[in-house]
Amino acid sequence: MSAEQYIAEIKALIEQIEQREMDGIKRVAELLARSITRDRLVYVFGAGHSSLLSQEVFARAGGLLQMQPILDPGLDFFSGAQRQGGFERLPGYARIVIQDYDIGSDDVIIVISNSGRNPAPVEMAMEAKARGATVVALSSMPHSRAVSPGNPAGKMLYEVADLVVDTGCPAGDGVVELEGLPPRVGPSSTVIGALMLNAIVVETAKNLLERGVVPAVAFSGNLDGGREYNEKVFDKVY
């Protein structure tokens, strides 16, 4: 029953989000719509597996083309798991990465971290705030409250952000206990984080339409006419 249990646990987390986080999701979507109407991109940052979520919303069918991931080979897995972990925990690294992006006072940045404790996400949030940007944290409050800060600032991500949306994922990420296995298995933060980010995207698109702005949503390039449509939309955004 382990596979069924995993699905049941994910469903339970989704139900919690529906009950507790919809107001936060809608507040974030309003911030994004306001920024997009000012012809700004929406920046999304994560390190390690959280970087997968920043890529989830980038230039994909059904997604807003204004979603701009902040990517870095050291913080992804291109250099290997051990190096990635080292860079994520390296104080000052995020300050170098953010210099490649034009983030200012009209911008919103979504910083993703399940634990919210390492230098890279916390310092990215702090650097963005110093530039006047609005910082949204996508993080797990159960995990964040179970650990101490792991960065020189002595802050958790949720303490630095202007707005927090809580995934509710458990400390350690895994949701299924198996006899004879000390860590829980079945990570939850990627599937829940993707759901929440895409819910924000959909709500943002609705908000833009209500403002009289047709959102730059990409068609699938594998549908007839999709590539031609996307070329026109890309020209408007970039």
Side-chain angles (χ1 to χ4, degrees), residues 76-89:
D76 302 327
F77 287 113
F78 297 106
S79 58
Q82 289 186 331
R83 285 194 177 188
Q84 183 281 319
F87 281 122
E88 184 176 356
R89 293 172 176 82

